[in-house]
């Protein structure tokens, strides 16, 4: 006397009813397939400076039945569509629809590397004066344009810093993503004369 049958795949099924007298009636029943999601739009922004600053944003779902939930790298399924503070790498994103059907895809969070080297040359000061020069050269790595700070000065595009006394200077380069690299440069004083030996011979006879 079962009246509910489960666990059928999509297809056409014949259902027969038989009464107490053995009389039967047959009808065809079609079970259709409700497809799950077939595509998922994703976008990402790169992580910068080797830090966890990347993002993944989930867009439109193709197919399936709303509402949808999402999992990223094995996280619990939620309705969240924006994931932040991600390190660079490959992420697996799963969308699950209202029927429990899933679709899986991957997305790469790239890396905006920080500057890794900065060329700075110095011209020594002379005579104890404040006339040394720092000249900033090529930056290795990072993303231009670059700005620079010397001993805590505001970041600017200035490449030549003159009128510097002898001493050690901290030079920081900052790239377009805010990543920094720091070097030190030393200006040495080339002193002028510090003593002079003079001897005299007396005059005689007026």
């Amino acid at each position: 006397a079962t009246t509910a049958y489960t666990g059928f795949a999509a297809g056409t099924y014949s259902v027969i009813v038989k009464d107490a007298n053995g009389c039967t009636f047959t009808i065809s029943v079609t079970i259709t397939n409700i497809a799950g999601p077939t595509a998922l739009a994703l976008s990402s922004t790169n992580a910068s400076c080797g830090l966890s600053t990347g993002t993944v944003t989930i867009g439109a779902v193709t197919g399936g039945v709303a509402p949808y939930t999402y999992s990223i790298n094995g996280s619990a399924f939620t309705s969240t569509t924006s994931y932040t503070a991600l390190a660079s790498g490959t992420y697996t994103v799963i969308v699950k629809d209202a029927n429990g059907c899933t679709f899986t895809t991957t997305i790469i969070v790239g890396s905006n590397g920080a500057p890794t080297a900065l060329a700075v040359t110095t011209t020594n000061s002379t005579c104890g004066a404040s006339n040394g020069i720092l000249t900033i050269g090529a930056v290795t790595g990072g993303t231009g344009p670059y700005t620079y700070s010397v001993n805590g000065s505001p970041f600017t595009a200035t490449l030549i810093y003159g009128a510097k006394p002898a001493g050690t200077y901290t030079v920081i380069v900052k790239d377009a993503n805010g990543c920094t690299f720091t070097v030190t440069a030393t200006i040495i004083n080339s002193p002028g004369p510090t003593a002079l030996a003079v001897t005299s011979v007396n005059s005689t006879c007026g």
Side-chain angles (χ1 to χ4, degrees):
T2 302
T3 57
Y5 298 84
T6 61
F8 290 94
T12 300
Y13 296 87
S14 294
V15 181
I16 305 172
V17 58
K18 182 169 68 174
D19 70 4
N21 295 316
C23 302
T24 60
F25 176 78
T26 303
I27 189 172
S28 292
V29 176
T30 300
I31 296 176
T32 59
N33 178 55
I34 301 175
T38 57
L40 178 61
L42 299 174
S43 62
S44 67
T45 61
N46 290 345
S48 295
C49 318
L51 303 175
S52 296
T53 57
T55 67
V56 168
T57 301
I58 296 173
V61 179
T62 302
V65 178
Y68 304 102
T69 54
Y70 312 92
S71 168
I72 185 167
N73 274 15
S75 67
F77 281 91
T78 69
S79 59
T80 301
T81 57
S82 180
Y83 297 83
T84 60
L86 302 178
S88 61
T90 300
Y91 291 83
T92 299
V93 183
I94 305 172
V95 55
K96 181 167 65 175
D97 75 355
N99 293 316
C101 304
T102 61
F103 175 80
T104 302
T105 187
T106 59
I107 189 168
I108 295 174
V109 173
S111 175
N112 294 327
T116 57
L118 173 63
V120 178
T121 57
T122 60
T123 301
N124 291 336
S125 62
T126 58
C127 307
S130 295
N131 58 0
I133 302 171
L134 290 171
T135 303
I136 295 175
V139 180
T140 302
T143 304
Y146 305 100
T147 54
Y148 312 91
S149 169
V150 174
N151 277 11
S153 68
F155 282 90
T156 69
T158 302
L159 298 176
I160 299 176
Y161 297 81
K164 296 295 182 185
T168 299
Y169 292 85
T170 299
V171 183
I172 305 173
V173 56
K174 181 165 65 173
D175 75 355
N177 295 309
C179 305
T180 61
F181 180 78
T182 303
V183 298
T184 58
T186 301
I187 293 176
I188 299 172
N189 178 54
S190 297
T194 58
L196 176 62
V198 177
T199 59
S200 64
V201 177
N202 294 335
S203 62
T204 59
C205 308

